[in-house]
Amino acid sequence: AQSVTQLDSHVSVSEGTPVLLRCNYSSSYSPSLFWYVQHPNKGLQLLLKYTSAATLVKGINGFEAEFKKSETSFHLTKPSAHMSDAAEYFCVVSTHLSGGYNKLIFGAGTRLAVHP
Amino acid sequence: DGGITQSPKYLFRKEGQNVTLSCEQNLNHDAMYWYRQDPGQGLRLIYYSQIVNDFQKGDIAEGYSVSREKKESFPLTVTSAQKNPTAFYLCASSDYRGTRNTEAFFGQGTRLTVV
């Protein structure tokens, strides 16, 4: 069965310092992995996705993530945090439902705070 | 602009009432989904649908019902049988192609509160 674990419920950084949000996954086959961002009382926006084409994936707003099969990890990073990055971030793994539907399995989320 | 529209943004329900949350998409996506979000629990799947007049229960379908009479629309009814309906509800759609690589696009959500 597929699952995803976000290792930190809260992360706090200073503006201009690096961001690291950690995600481990469990999958019985080669996974499809996603990172989504959610600002307060808003919907979710896709940051990036891993589809086995390249292990280092670049997304929007300067974020990137590296797929490490040996560590079953898909950590999200950004070299320099901006105040506008403060939000909740979800690591997601995709799996098949009956009939070929895609089901997205969400981690519990990591709330990122950015301080001046 | 293409996207997913959820309405209303805020909804208040009295005990024992049924309420319906609207979700409309103009992305021409086949698949649509409803998720419930509670603090610290991520998103949980309520119902999903691939085609018109077809839908399936997700992980927490009890107390909810849906319909899919049109490709563009996937309304969710929260019935009085749902004992703890206060939550943030998100509708999503995806371009079903039988692969796991297809991401979902989300609406802006409806916050439902029982009063």
Side-chain angles (χ1 to χ4, degrees):
Chain A
Q2 282 67 42
S3 66
V4 63
T5 302
Q6 293 183 243
L7 301 173
D8 307 290
S9 59
H10 292 83
V11 170
S12 182
V13 301
S14 297
E15 190 175 20
T17 64
V19 175
L20 171 63
L21 305 183
R22 299 183 294 164
C23 173
N24 286 353
Y25 70 90
S26 173
S27 178
S28 54
Y29 46 80
S30 181
S32 290
L33 293 159
F34 308 81
W35 275 99
Y36 282 84
V37 61
Q38 183 182 32
H39 289 90
N41 293 311
K42 300 291 187 183
L44 277 69
Q45 180 184 19
L46 180 70
L47 278 177
L48 50 81
K49 66 178 180 181
Y50 167 75
T51 60
S52 76
T55 56
L56 183 62
V57 182
K58 294 188 183 298
I60 62 171
N61 300 335
F63 284 95
E64 61 182 37
E66 186 172 8
F67 174 75
K68 292 187 176 180
K69 185 176 180 179
S70 60
E71 299 177 9
T72 61
S73 69
F74 189 57
H75 300 336
L76 182 70
T77 61
K78 183 173 181 178
S80 176
H82 191 272
M83 295 296 290
S84 61
D85 294 328
E88 187 144 23
Y89 293 79
F90 293 96
C91 183
V92 181
V93 64
S94 177
T95 185
H96 272 307
L97 295 163
S98 61
Y101 293 86
N102 290 327
K103 177 180 179 179
L104 300 182
I105 299 172
F106 287 78
T110 298
R111 184 166 298 278
L112 175 66
V114 181
H115 302 287
Chain B
D1 287 333
I4 301 176
T5 301
Q6 289 187 242
S7 61
K9 187 172 182 179
Y10 299 96
L11 185 58
F12 298 90
R13 191 194 93 167
K14 294 182 179 179
E15 296 281 352
Q17 274 186 339
N18 293 352
V19 292
T20 298
L21 284 60
S22 170
C23 178
E24 304 276 335
Q25 56 101 356
N26 60 4
L27 300 168
N28 199 33
H29 285 169
D30 292 306
M32 296 188 75
Y33 310 81
W34 274 105
Y35 289 89
R36 170 178 170 142
Q37 184 177 22
D38 296 283
Q41 296 191 42
L43 276 68
R44 293 180 290 168
L45 182 64
I46 304 172
Y47 269 96
Y48 57 98
S49 167
Q50 181 190 4
I51 57 174
V52 173
N53 294 323
D54 178 70
F55 46 83
Q56 303 294 329
K57 293 181 179 180
D59 300 317
I60 56 165
E62 184 176 354
Y64 300 98
S65 66
V66 293
S67 63
R68 188 87 185 274
E69 297 178 359
K70 299 185 298 181
K71 185 177 182 178
E72 303 80 21
S73 179
F74 191 41
L76 173 73
T77 297
V78 184
T79 75
S80 57
Q82 171 51 238
K83 298 306 179 188
N84 185 23
T86 295
F88 192 52
Y89 291 87
L90 287 158
C91 179
S93 70
S94 67
D95 188 6
Y96 168 65
R97 296 179 184 180
T99 75
R100 292 177 291 111
N101 299 338
T102 306
E103 67 267 30
F105 294 80
F106 286 82
Q108 294 298 294
T110 293
R111 184 165 297 282
L112 174 63
T113 304
V114 174
V115 297

